[in-house]
Amino acid sequence: MSRKNSTPLGADATSIWLLLLIFSASVSDSIGEDLLGVCYGELGQDLPPISTTIKLLKELHADAVRLYDANPSVLTALRGTGIGVIVSVLDSELQDFAQNPTTAVLWVQKYVSPFYPSTRITYIAVGNEILSPGTVDEYGPHLVPAMWNLYHALAGRRLQDHIKVVAPVSGDILGTSWPPSKGAFSQLNYIHPLLRFLEYTKSKFFINVYPYYAHRMNPVQVPLDYAVFLKTEPEFKDPITGLPYYNLFDAMIDATYSAMLDIGITKVGVAVGETGWPTAGGYAASARTAKLYIRNLIQHVQRGGTPNRPKERVPVFLFSLYNENEKIGPDTEKNWGIFYPNATKVYDVDLDPVTSDL
Ligand SMILES: *[C@@H]1O[C@H](CO)[C@@H](O)[C@H](O)[C@H]1NC(C)=O
């Protein structure tokens, strides 16, 4: 403090200003720094307006938001908020993107250029869980060609280092996930070119990770305390590496690293495109358990990486912002939200408890 006062005011102000400039430039230019985001699913007919949504994202201290489309009014509303944004290309658009480079060029022109950088778009997600059984036959062949066309469209505007193209896959892409050191992919004919694309373009591998489903399907082998980060003793030690595992999340992420290594991919980081816990409507679904899972997960990823990559932090997108009453399937499907549609919290959570405590 006293040192500052002894500096001539002008010089001090200038250097602070410069520092701020450098700092903000490096922040807005860097992607993949966002650790905790929220998925903004919009399959509910009673959801609040975007202005409320942005207020809630800020209240949560979300670093980033994942959109499942590229709605210009949402992108406009996110201007100047500093919130990182994943925009998405729909599954149904993939074939066109794959076959027509112009489609990708026009899309970037319409949904990216008018908004970036004031809307801090960080990723373009191509479809969601395309390589899963229901969609792989129809869309799988178009996935990586569509990604290349988007990459070239971004490169045409010199945006390829700022906005990365990704393809979030379902956790079921891991044909083998135990032990973590033996992780292996299914759908290799698609996953291999996908990972080569991600490696070449210095992008990230987005995988959706749902310990909830593992626990629901197999509560004996996947006990609740192992699924929600409550174990104080290791659930098991990997028989090959000897590394201890306290939670399923880590085991799944390390299985993903192993599966990549298995096909020679060593430089691609992992991000979780969706994870969460339902609060009602089925087995083990409650606000109390959801709060445990989400809070412990947040602390866990803030603290560091996995047993296999302790220093590599894994960015995570929580599913989801709102309960969505138009989602089809079992009742749990409608109850993944942190918020009710009336904008009150289903359970209390803060995505950056460290900062908010200061
Ligand atoms: C919001 O909706 C939930 C669920 O319907 C309800 O329990 C809660 O009382 C509502 N809160 C307000 C402030 O309306």
Side-chain angles (χ1 to χ4, degrees):
M1 272 303 186
S2 57
R3 265 171 51 100
K4 246 187 194 168
N5 286 341
S6 67
T7 320
L9 183 66
D12 197 37
T14 308
S15 57
I16 287 173
W17 179 234
L18 271 173
L19 254 172
L20 280 173
L21 266 179
I22 291 163
F23 183 69
S24 61
S26 70
V27 165
S28 63
D29 276 2
S30 64
I31 72 157
E33 304 289 325
D34 298 325
L35 189 62
L36 284 152
V38 188
C39 299
Y40 177 25
E42 294 179 82
L43 299 176
Q45 91 273 91
D46 50 358
L47 300 185
I50 182 64
S51 53
T52 307
T53 299
I54 286 171
K55 200 178 120 253
L56 299 182
L57 289 170
K58 287 181 173 166
E59 196 180 306
L60 281 176
H61 300 108
D63 300 324
V65 63
R66 175 177 173 189
L67 313 177
Y68 289 89
D69 54 14
N71 180 341
S73 58
V74 173
L75 292 172
T76 302
L78 283 162
R79 273 207 170 110
T81 59
I83 297 171
V85 182
I86 301 184
V87 288
S88 296
V89 170
L90 303 180
D91 297 4
S92 55
E93 298 175 296
L94 252 73
Q95 183 167 2
D96 192 16
F97 271 78
Q99 291 171 352
N100 303 305
T102 315
T103 301
V105 170
L106 292 175
W107 195 89
V108 168
Q109 209 168 307
K110 187 165 174 196
Y111 297 109
V112 176
S113 302
F115 306 104
Y116 183 85
S118 50
T119 300
R120 198 167 62 84
I121 299 170
T122 51
Y123 291 102
I124 300 173
V126 180
N128 186 34
E129 302 190 338
I130 287 298
L131 300 183
S132 291
T135 43
V136 65
D137 292 336
E138 187 175 359
Y139 301 120
H142 305 305
L143 180 61
V144 177
M147 295 173 84
W148 275 116
N149 280 339
L150 262 171
Y151 175 79
H152 291 307
L154 289 169
R157 292 181 171 259
R158 301 195 193 287
L159 291 173
Q160 79 279 14
D161 292 334
H162 307 288
I163 301 173
K164 298 292 179 178
V165 182
V166 298
V169 297
S170 157
D172 65 19
I173 198 73
L174 289 166
T176 307
S177 58
W178 200 91
S181 60
K182 288 277 181 197
F185 291 120
S186 55
Q187 306 292 359
L188 267 186
N189 51 331
Y190 296 125
I191 202 82
H192 202 188
L194 168 61
L195 284 161
R196 278 200 307 251
F197 168 87
L198 298 174
E199 191 162 62
Y200 182 84
T201 61
K202 300 188 168 66
S203 185
K204 273 200 156 61
F205 184 53
F206 273 67
I207 185 162
N208 299 341
V209 169
Y210 283 105
Y212 170 73
Y213 287 120
H215 170 65
R216 188 171 83 174
M217 282 186 293
N218 205 336
V220 176
Q221 276 190 7
V222 182
L224 189 67
D225 58 352
Y226 175 56
V228 302
F229 303 87
L230 282 178
K231 286 198 71 79
T232 51
E233 297 291 319
E235 176 73 7
F236 67 92
K237 284 190 176 161
D238 189 295
I240 315 284
T241 61
L243 291 169
Y245 285 85
Y246 291 79
N247 62 78
L248 179 58
F249 181 86
D250 279 350
M252 290 176 81
I253 302 296
D254 276 353
T256 307
Y257 289 128
S258 303
M260 291 200 286
L261 192 61
D262 188 46
I263 54 172
I265 302 289
T266 54
K267 293 189 213 56
V268 179
V270 170
V272 171
E274 289 178 1
T275 190
W277 200 281
T279 57
Y283 180 77
S286 75
R288 195 178 150 268
T289 311
K291 179 173 158 179
L292 272 177
Y293 176 73
I294 296 290
R295 285 190 158 190
N296 290 340
L297 171 76
I298 290 169
Q299 276 187 10
H300 183 71
V301 299
Q302 284 188 330
R303 214 178 286 138
T306 60
N308 193 25
R309 305 262 179 104
K311 288 193 182 132
E312 211 161 306
R313 297 213 289 181
V314 179
V316 164
F317 284 80
L318 305 179
F319 189 89
S320 186
L321 189 59
Y322 296 118
N323 278 348
E324 297 169 77
N325 64 8
E326 285 177 326
K327 287 204 77 174
I328 47 171
D331 272 357
T332 43
E333 276 301 305
K334 304 181 198 318
N335 294 293
W336 288 85
I338 295 170
F339 290 95
Y340 294 112
N342 63 16
T344 57
K345 273 180 172 159
V346 182
Y347 55 92
D348 192 33
V349 66
D350 188 316
L351 270 59
D352 200 353
V354 178
T355 311
S356 56
D357 281 353
L358 292 179

